[in-house]
Amino acid sequence: PNSGKTTLFNALTGSSQYVGNWPGVTVERKTGKLKINKEITLVDLPGIYSLSPYTLEEVITRNYIATEKPDAIINIVDASNIERNLYLTTQLVELGIPVVIALNMMDIVNKRGDKIDIAKLSKDLGCPVFECSAAKQTGINEVAEAAIKAANGAKAPEINHRFPEAVETAFANIEKLSSSYVKDGIPSWNAIKLFERDEKIIEALALPENVSAEIETEIVKAEEALDDDSESIITNHRYSYIEKVIKDSV
């Protein structure tokens, strides 16, 4: 939210937009053709801070990304509020879908006298990063071209952050236990969500009781090893990783 997403969408698609509603809800759904390449359809997903499904917007955006599996994602990051915005980025790169980061509102960052090392940020996050200003329409075509290239190359982001060993072991075991029940979606990502005891994913997968019990055992083992609940373990680890990234490049 408030990252300049709609401004960027409008600038990239111009008057070729189609507005409807997402199925079954009154939330607006916008699609459009890229001005620089009419073959490409751009979908404007509701703005979110996280892929945890607490709001209707988060549910819509998450379901679309996880089940429709777009060819590439343009992740719009408000550079002037980078720490809060990168939380979603850490989740998106785990989906295995090519991600291009549009670092928007760079004019505000520059005005403040801050500097962001784009090359370092890109290396740390494992995906291409481009500076732009949606409002001033600078750098936006570079973002679009990078997204087309990413979609055609279908290169998944390099995941440069690892969770503690006990958590990575739990992920691997949960993925083994649950992957045959994942009909559409990404097994490794579903494993992370099951580790977090994500109710929507648990509901969607409808795992047999014995499998659910084995998964719960894996989660509890990791919780005991790290002396915290599974959701907090993931959240805290993401933020300490973001802190390192920011220290390195901002």
Side-chain angles (χ1 to χ4, degrees), residues 91-107:
Q91 296 177 313
L92 291 176
V93 296
E94 289 163 356
L95 287 160
I97 296 166
V99 173
V100 170
I101 292 175
L103 206 53
N104 195 24
M105 306 192 190
M106 278 301 290
D107 43 342

Side-chain angles (χ1 to χ4, degrees), residues 68-89:
E68 301 282 332
K69 297 194 193 116
D71 299 307
I73 296 167
I74 297 176
N75 171 213
I76 297 152
V77 169
D78 171 2
S80 68
N81 192 6
I82 194 164
E83 187 165 358
R84 186 172 190 189
N85 274 226
L86 285 182
Y87 192 85
L88 177 64
T89 308

Side-chain angles (χ1 to χ4, degrees), residues 130-186:
F130 291 85
E131 290 184 44
C132 70
S133 167
K136 294 179 178 166
Q137 298 206 8
T138 56
I140 64 170
N141 286 342
E142 288 80 348
V143 168
E145 280 158 11
I148 296 167
K149 192 177 165 193
N152 288 333
K155 185 177 178 287
E158 288 169 31
I159 298 173
N160 294 328
H161 73 282
R162 304 274 297 164
F163 288 93
E165 201 177 326
V167 177
E168 292 286 350
T169 302
F171 288 166
N173 293 338
I174 292 168
E175 189 177 343
K176 263 185 222 154
L177 289 163
S178 62
S179 59
S180 59
Y181 301 93
V182 179
K183 288 175 185 60
D184 48 21
I186 298 115

Side-chain angles (χ1 to χ4, degrees), residues 51 53 58-66 193 198 200-201:
L51 290 179
E58 284 167 346
V59 172
I60 290 167
T61 296
R62 181 169 104 156
N63 287 352
Y64 183 86
I65 295 170
K193 290 282 139 207
D198 183 309
K200 292 256 183 323
I201 294 291

Side-chain angles (χ1 to χ4, degrees), residues 4-5 17 24 28 31 47 55 69 71 75 78 94 108 112 114-115 131 138 143 178 184 189 206-207 213 220 248:
K5 181 177 62 65
Q17 295 177 13
E28 197 178 77
T31 56
T55 67
K69 297 194 193 116
D71 299 307
N75 171 213
D78 171 2
E94 289 163 356
I108 298 169
R112 284 201 307 226
D114 292 340
K115 293 259 182 293
E131 290 184 44
T138 56
V143 168
S178 62
D184 48 21
W189 180 76
L207 301 168
V220 170
D248 203 23

